[in-house]
Amino acid sequence: MFGPQISGLLSTIITIFIFVLIVRAIFSWFPGMLYTEAGRIIVLATEWYLAPIRRVIPPVGGLDLSFLVGLIILWALQTFIVSANIVAALVGIVRSVLIFCIILVLVRVFFGFFRMDPWHPITQMVMQVTEPFARPFRQWFPRNPRQFDWAPVAAFVVLLGALVLLSQLAGLVGIVG
């Protein structure tokens, strides 16, 4: 699609922008950091990109997911520019979403082990986001209040299997990602 020099330049620009987005996320963890001079520059450099995503994907449980969606979009765009293969970019998006879902379900499993506060906003967000994955397994693993919830474990295994299957299929057709 592009020449090697232009592809390399665009890939480098995307990598730098991904780095700036990660710095913005780190700044957001520290109160007041986004209001410093460096924070204002970071917000100015990234808000044009994150604001439209935020309008489509609202915050869940008080967490802004536009950052993660923006990273996945940039990573897929970078994959497409470097490989000039739309299928590889789509496989990359699906793989990234699967990995994100696997991590969230794994966090939910850990919450079950450690008996996290069910009223904490992060716990509620993780439970709300991962329940659609656990719900199909409720008929085999019904939820009991004082027992460990095995439905998220089953969801984790199925999601992990889907990731392995996707990776194997991608390898068979020659998509490296």
Side-chain angles (χ1 to χ4, degrees), residues 13-71:
I13 291 170
I14 291 172
T15 301
I16 291 169
F17 192 63
I18 288 172
F19 175 73
V20 172
L21 284 172
I22 291 170
V23 169
R24 178 181 173 148
I26 293 169
F27 276 18
S28 71
W29 296 341
F30 299 100
M33 196 65 182
L34 289 175
Y35 301 106
T36 65
E37 189 61 32
R40 282 190 276 266
I41 291 170
I42 295 292
V43 168
L44 185 63
T46 57
E47 190 59 25
W48 66 271
Y49 177 69
L50 294 176
I53 297 171
R54 201 174 294 118
R55 280 193 292 270
V56 175
I57 301 173
V60 176
L63 294 177
D64 185 9
L65 297 179
S66 64
F67 163 75
L68 293 173
V69 173
L71 284 180

Side-chain angles (χ1 to χ4, degrees), residues 75-90:
W75 184 77
L77 179 64
Q78 186 177 35
T79 302
F80 176 67
I81 288 171
V82 170
S83 70
N85 186 344
I86 189 74
V87 175
L90 290 174

Side-chain angles (χ1 to χ4, degrees), residues 111-131:
F111 282 2
F113 278 125
F114 298 114
R115 307 265 189 232
M116 299 300 287
D117 176 17
W119 302 111
H120 192 279
I122 293 177
T123 305
Q124 288 185 347
M125 185 274 302
V126 169
M127 297 301 227
Q128 288 173 1
V129 170
T130 58
E131 185 56 30

Side-chain angles (χ1 to χ4, degrees), residues 118-158:
W119 302 111
H120 192 279
I122 293 177
T123 305
Q124 288 185 347
M125 185 274 302
V126 169
M127 297 301 227
Q128 288 173 1
V129 170
T130 58
E131 185 56 30
F133 298 110
R135 191 174 302 124
F137 302 101
R138 290 273 175 235
Q139 60 185 344
W140 296 296
F141 306 107
R143 183 183 298 184
N144 294 323
R146 287 183 278 262
Q147 292 181 348
F148 183 75
D149 189 7
W150 287 98
V153 175
F156 173 76
V157 170
V158 169

